[in-house]
């Protein structure tokens, strides 16, 4: 077939051999042969192209409205071959300076072909959005098929599940097959139009269609184009709703929408790196900049306060976790603005987080509330530790934010409180966050130490410190703080709790414990024994009366204290009781022996519940917890 001579960009060798094998032939014979060959090639291509002409009556009405690439695969390939042959023939005609009339005819045919290809590309793009989003729709199809196949007959569950899985697999395979065919058709058209010098027209159709897909999808995901002024005028409740919508949208927008669009664009325009980058930039840049601008505007919100820290960290975390994909998708220089906006949002969110962290630290130091009645857990302790527990859930983002952020030692701190959870020469991000968290807890403990000094009873001060440090340790042990602070930090603070409790017992039960030391083994006269019982009764009643309103909210610690006291008090008292009880009664001093050992056990069992203590382990002073943190706690659990 003669058109085969022009399947590449250069004339084929048979044509050259025909012009050089007869050296004696006149040059005008060669020119005439070449011109005739060009005319035949252009006419053959024209016959195929005109068959699908959109404007003239030479093509049937059916051919004008038909979808060439969808319904006539073989004809579509012939059409592309005809366009390519026409293009090669035109290059040859120009090179040989042949008849301008032939070139004009070829150019007219090319315009007809390009118009048809533009129509085909538009039809494919507008009619196959479903198949150009195969990953998302395949997953959705799978879920829908599974839900629609639910049966109440348990005997048939396995059979139904197997059938459902097969249906889902078949459907997914069909979607993938059609998607690959659609992408192949788009690429074939793009290659042909770009090769023919109509890349601009091709890109225009493609970008208009696919940009609308990006814009519409972002709209349905709830991504809005807002201004800083609009953000500043919003109340926090409204802004938080929009933030949650953005957080739900960003992963889909980046990982599925924009990532998928880049893959499609790279495939369709693989013939030209420049066109591919320009095209994707025109499609995605505006929507992506809008997407990544929102977090920066939230970071600049004038009414940021401590309880808003976690919303800011959510935004930071979402961009940080998606950064590798963002870097891959927006790698070209034409999309530098998008990456710059994402970086800017990260920086501003980091600045806002550091500011709120300083506010948090300052709020601890400035707290002027009094120590709690009964020595229970202070609201400040609950507030700070709940805050730090939530903060530890953002360890990766938090570590990035504070890795180069120095500690601010604004007052002298006792070394006994501060235990570094990691080596001093460890500059890793995990070390930075561990150090920061240990520092914040240290500030809290120092503040509590100051509050403890306001109790009149020294023993109550120690009970207060034990309760609060125990609460701190419990919170650490049941959260990510455990892994960040380390076992060494925990063990040293547990030891500190034991020291506090030992001091409490020694100071709070001093008279009782002193009276028992060694007396159980000493022989006494009845008057001496009588005096001993009187002093013991007085000391026990005084300690019990004073401590009846004291609290140990943690059940485990409360039981440990009761067991410890029982061993030290009741064991010694039982020996003395058995030894002198009958003698005291026979001597007419029955009233002196006021407590049986079981009575002491019952009295000790009633201790440490405090006034207003509930079975849930909280006390009435919980109502003084900052309301802002209560709302934060419930929304971030």
């Amino acid at each position: 077939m003669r058109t085969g001579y022009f399947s590449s960009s250069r004339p084929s060798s048979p044509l050259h051999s025909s012009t050089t094998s007869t050296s004696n032939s006149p040059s005008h014979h060669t020119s005439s042969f070449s011109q005739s060959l060009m005319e035949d090639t252009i006419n053959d291509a024209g016959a195929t192209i005109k068959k699908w002409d959109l404007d003239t009556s030479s093509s049937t009405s059916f051919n004008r409205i038909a979808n060439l690439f969808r319904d006539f695969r073989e004809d579509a390939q012939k059409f592309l071959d005809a366009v390519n042959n026409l293009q090669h023939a035109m290059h040859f005609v120009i090179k040989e300076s042949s008849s301008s009339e032939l070139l004009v005819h070829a150019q007219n045919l090319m315009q007809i072909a390009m118009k048809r290809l533009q129509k085909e590309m538009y039809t494919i793009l507008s009619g196959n959005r479903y198949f150009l989003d195969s990953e998302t729709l395949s997953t959705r199809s799978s879920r829908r098929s599974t839900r629609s196949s639910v049966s109440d007959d348990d005997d048939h569950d396995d059979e139904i599940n197997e059938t459902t899985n097969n249906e889902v697999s078949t459907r997914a395979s069909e979607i993938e097959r059609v998607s690959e065919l659609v992408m192949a058709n788009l690429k074939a058209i793009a290659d042909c139009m770009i090769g023919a010098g109509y890349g601009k027209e091709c890109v225009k159709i493609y970008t208009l269609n696919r940009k609308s897909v990006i814009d519409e999808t972002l709209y349905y995901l709830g991504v809005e184009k807002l201004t800083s002024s609009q953000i500043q005028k919003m109340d926090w409740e409204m802004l938080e709703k929009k933030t949650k919508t953005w957080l739900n949208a960003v992963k889909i927008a980046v990982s599925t929408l924009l990532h998928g669009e880049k893959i499609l664009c790279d495939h369709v325009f693989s013939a030209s790196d420049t066109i591919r980058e320009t095209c994707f930039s025109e499609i995605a840049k505006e929507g992506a900049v809008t997407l990544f601008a929102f977090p920066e505007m939230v970071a600049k919100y004038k009414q940021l306060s401590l309880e808003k820290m976690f919303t800011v960290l959510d935004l930071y975390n979402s961009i940080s976790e998606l950064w590798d994909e963002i870097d891959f998708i927006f790698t070209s220089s034409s999309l530098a603005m998008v990456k710059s906006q994402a970086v800017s949002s990260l920086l501003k969110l980091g600045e806002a987080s550091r500011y709120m962290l300083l506010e948090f630290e300052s709020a601890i130091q400035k707290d002027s509330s009094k120590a709690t009645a009964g020595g229970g857990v202070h609201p400040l302790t609950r507030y700070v530790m709940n805050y730090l527990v939530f903060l530890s859930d953002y360890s990766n983002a938090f570590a990035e934010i504070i890795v180069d952020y120095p500690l601010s030692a604004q007052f002298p701190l006792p070394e006994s409180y501060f235990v570094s959870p990691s080596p001093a020469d460890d500059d890793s991000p995990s070390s930075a966050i561990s150090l920061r968290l240990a520092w914040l807890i240290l500030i809290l403990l120092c503040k509590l130490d100051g509050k403890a000094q306001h109790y009149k009873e020294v023993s109550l001060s120690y009970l207060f410190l034990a309760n609060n440090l125990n609460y701190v340790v419990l919170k650490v042990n049941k959260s990510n703080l455990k892994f960040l602070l380390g076992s060494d930090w925990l063990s040293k603070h547990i030891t500190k709790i034991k020291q506090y409790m030992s001091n409490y017992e020694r100071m709070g039960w001093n008279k009782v414990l002193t009276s028992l030391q060694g007396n159980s083994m000493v022989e006494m006269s009845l008057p001496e024994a009588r005096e001993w019982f009187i002093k013991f009764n007085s000391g026990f009643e005084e300690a019990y009366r004073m401590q009846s309103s004291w609290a140990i909210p943690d059940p485990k610690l409360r039981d440990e204290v009761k067991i410890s006291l029982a061993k030290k008090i009741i064991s010694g008292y039982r020996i003395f009781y058995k030894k002198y009880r009958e003698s005291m009664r026979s001597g007419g001093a029955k009233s002196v022996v006021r407590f049986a050992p079981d009575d002491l056990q019952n009295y000790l069992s009633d201790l440490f519940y405090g006034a207003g203590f509930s079975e849930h382990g909280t006390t009435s002073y919980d109502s003084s917890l900052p309301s802002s943190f209560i709302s934060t706690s419930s929304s971030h659990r």
Side-chain angles (χ1 to χ4, degrees):
M1 191 174 173
R2 286 178 295 176
T3 54
Y5 293 150
F6 306 100
S7 60
S8 63
S9 60
R10 296 182 58 187
S12 57
S13 57
L15 181 58
H16 284 290
S17 64
S18 67
T19 60
T20 58
S21 60
T22 54
S23 58
N24 294 328
S25 300
S27 60
H28 71 277
H29 288 169
T30 302
S31 177
S32 297
F33 175 76
S34 298
Q35 182 173 355
S36 176
L37 193 59
M38 292 307 101
E39 289 178 356
D40 289 345
T41 300
I42 291 171
N43 288 334
D44 287 345
T48 301
I49 291 170
K50 287 181 178 178
K51 179 182 177 181
W52 299 96
D53 188 354
L54 293 171
D55 296 329
T56 66
S57 59
S58 60
S59 62
T60 65
S61 174
F62 174 78
N63 284 353
R64 285 198 293 272
I65 64 173
N67 293 319
L68 174 57
F69 282 80
R70 186 190 67 188
D71 301 324
F72 303 95
R73 291 288 301 162
E74 291 185 6
D75 286 351
Q77 187 56 54
K78 290 178 181 178
F79 188 88
L80 292 175
D81 290 340
V83 174
N84 289 330
N85 289 335
L86 178 62
Q87 175 68 11
H88 294 315
M90 291 174 67
H91 281 300
F92 194 87
V93 170
I94 294 172
K95 182 179 179 181
E96 296 296 320
S97 299
S98 296
S99 169
S100 60
E101 291 182 3
L102 186 61
L103 189 60
V104 170
H105 176 55
Q107 183 61 38
N108 289 335
L109 289 173
M110 185 61 74
Q111 291 178 356
I112 293 172
M114 291 301 106
K115 189 172 183 179
R116 180 75 202 198
L117 289 179
Q118 288 179 70
K119 184 258 185 185
E120 290 293 325
M121 173 164 274
Y122 175 82
T123 301
I124 293 172
L125 288 170
S126 59
N128 291 279
R129 291 190 178 192
Y130 182 95
F131 297 105
L132 294 176
D133 190 20
S134 59
E135 180 182 358
T136 302
L137 293 174
S138 176
T139 303
R140 186 157 64 242
S141 175
S142 174
R143 291 197 299 267
R144 188 184 299 116
S145 298
T146 302
R147 287 196 298 268
S148 64
S149 302
V150 173
S151 172
D152 293 330
D153 189 352
D154 293 338
D155 294 336
H156 297 292
D157 280 353
D158 292 340
E159 181 180 350
I160 290 173
N161 288 337
E162 183 178 356
T163 302
T164 299
N165 291 336
N166 290 336
E167 290 175 354
V168 170
S169 179
T170 301
R171 180 58 177 161
S173 299
E174 176 63 16
I175 292 174
E176 185 177 354
R177 185 190 69 79
V178 176
S179 297
E180 290 177 353
L181 182 61
V182 169
M183 291 172 70
N185 288 339
L186 289 172
K187 174 175 168 53
I189 294 173
D191 288 347
C192 187
M193 292 185 70
I194 292 171
Y198 284 77
K200 184 177 180 180
E201 289 78 1
C202 177
V203 167
K204 182 178 180 180
I205 294 173
Y206 185 91
T207 53
L208 283 175
N209 182 279
R210 299 310 297 175
K211 187 177 185 303
S212 69
V213 171
I214 295 287
D215 294 343
E216 288 173 16
T217 306
L218 289 176
Y219 174 80
Y220 285 119
L221 287 173
V223 178
E224 301 178 69
K225 190 171 185 179
L226 300 168
T227 64
S228 295
S229 176
Q230 289 174 310
I231 294 291
Q232 294 298 337
K233 291 177 182 178
M234 290 182 189
D235 58 38
W236 178 250
E237 184 178 357
M238 175 59 69
L239 184 55
E240 192 171 33
K241 287 181 180 179
K242 292 190 179 297
T243 300
K244 289 179 179 178
T245 299
W246 187 93
L247 290 169
N248 291 330
V250 66
K251 184 170 179 59
I252 298 173
V254 173
S255 300
T256 300
L257 178 63
L258 295 169
H259 188 202
E261 199 61 44
K262 177 175 172 58
I263 291 173
L264 178 63
C265 195
D266 286 352
H267 178 81
V268 173
F269 296 103
S270 59
S272 170
D273 290 343
T274 301
I275 291 178
R276 182 176 70 241
E277 291 180 3
T278 302
C279 184
F280 181 65
S281 177
E282 292 182 8
I283 292 170
K285 182 164 64 176
E286 182 180 353
V289 168
T290 297
L291 178 70
F292 293 124
F294 177 78
E296 180 176 354
M297 290 187 285
V298 174
K300 294 178 178 179
Y301 189 64
K302 292 181 179 179
Q303 300 179 41
L304 286 180
S305 54
L306 294 182
E307 73 274 11
K308 301 178 179 65
M309 164 79 91
F310 305 106
T311 298
V312 172
L313 288 176
D314 280 332
L315 291 169
Y316 185 99
N317 215 31
S318 63
I319 300 177
S320 180
E321 289 179 350
L322 290 168
W323 184 255
D324 287 344
E325 290 183 76
I326 294 171
D327 190 45
F328 166 76
I329 296 169
F330 306 104
T331 187
S332 67
S333 58
S334 59
L335 289 164
M337 179 187 296
V338 175
K339 194 182 294 187
S340 176
Q341 178 59 69
V343 170
S344 180
S345 286
L346 277 178
L347 292 174
K348 295 299 181 183
L349 291 167
E351 290 175 6
S353 298
R354 287 191 290 271
Y355 169 78
M356 285 184 280
L357 190 63
L358 273 178
E359 289 292 304
F360 178 62
E361 184 177 322
S362 177
I364 300 173
Q365 295 179 10
K366 292 178 180 178
D367 181 78
S368 59
S369 58
K370 297 180 180 180
T372 54
V377 179
H378 197 280
L380 179 66
T381 308
R382 297 180 185 275
Y383 171 74
V384 171
M385 291 313 300
N386 282 328
Y387 201 92
L388 294 182
V389 166
F390 289 127
L391 203 56
S392 70
D393 290 336
Y394 297 87
S395 56
N396 292 334
F398 189 53
E400 292 176 9
I401 290 169
I402 56 93
V403 64
D404 297 321
Y405 186 49
L407 296 173
S408 57
Q410 298 179 357
F411 56 90
L413 300 172
E415 292 185 8
S416 60
Y417 277 102
F418 189 65
V419 181
S420 176
S422 55
D425 58 349
D426 186 353
D427 294 328
S428 66
S430 60
S431 174
I433 187 174
S434 299
L435 204 61
R436 177 70 59 173
L437 291 169
W439 167 261
L440 291 170
I441 293 176
L442 169 61
I443 295 174
L444 169 66
L445 296 179
C446 290
K447 196 69 181 179
L448 293 171
D449 193 60
K451 294 181 185 298
Q453 296 176 18
H454 291 89
Y455 286 112
K456 293 181 180 179
E457 297 83 9
V458 177
S459 56
L460 182 56
S461 297
Y462 283 117
L463 185 66
F464 171 78
L465 292 173
N467 277 327
N468 283 270
L469 184 55
N470 182 67
Y471 184 87
V472 169
V473 167
L474 288 175
K475 282 293 184 178
V476 170
N477 206 31
K478 295 179 180 180
S479 67
N480 286 335
L481 291 170
K482 178 180 181 179
F483 307 105
L484 294 169
L485 294 173
S487 57
D488 186 53
W489 186 97
L490 271 172
S491 63
K492 290 184 178 181
H493 284 80
I494 289 173
T495 300
K496 195 72 175 178
I497 295 172
K498 293 178 180 178
Q499 292 174 355
Y500 285 146
M501 292 311 304
S502 177
N503 290 339
Y504 151 73
E505 289 181 4
R506 180 171 53 83
M507 303 295 290
W509 296 88
N510 179 56
K511 292 182 179 180
V512 177
L513 295 174
T514 301
S515 68
L516 291 170
Q517 291 175 358
N519 286 333
S520 59
M521 305 302 295
V522 176
E523 291 295 331
M524 296 183 183
S525 63
L526 290 181
E528 288 174 335
R530 184 177 183 280
E531 187 65 26
W532 183 91
F533 273 107
I534 292 173
K535 288 182 178 180
F536 178 87
N537 294 340
S538 174
F540 186 85
E541 289 172 353
E542 179 184 348
Y544 178 82
R545 184 172 55 254
M546 181 174 63
Q547 298 182 39
S548 61
S549 62
W550 294 6
I552 301 179
D554 176 40
K556 185 174 181 293
L557 181 62
R558 186 166 63 243
D559 289 343
E560 288 176 357
V561 173
K562 289 180 180 180
I563 291 171
S564 176
L565 289 174
K567 286 180 179 179
K568 294 174 181 177
I569 297 174
I570 298 176
S571 297
Y573 181 81
R574 179 176 282 110
I575 296 173
F576 206 90
Y577 176 80
K578 289 180 178 180
K579 189 174 182 179
Y580 294 101
R581 177 184 55 177
E582 294 301 327
S583 299
M584 289 294 100
R585 288 179 177 178
S586 62
K590 181 179 179 181
S591 60
V592 174
V593 185
R594 297 186 56 185
F595 303 107
D598 289 344
D599 295 331
L600 297 180
Q601 182 68 61
N602 291 333
Y603 278 110
L604 291 177
S605 296
D606 289 338
L607 288 177
F608 310 123
Y609 289 100
F613 186 82
S614 75
E615 61 180 356
H616 300 293
T618 56
T619 54
S620 59
Y621 52 73
D622 281 339
S623 60
S624 62
L625 279 168
S627 60
S628 60
F629 186 75
I630 294 173
S631 62
T632 303
S633 302
S634 61
S635 62
H636 286 274
R637 288 195 185 277

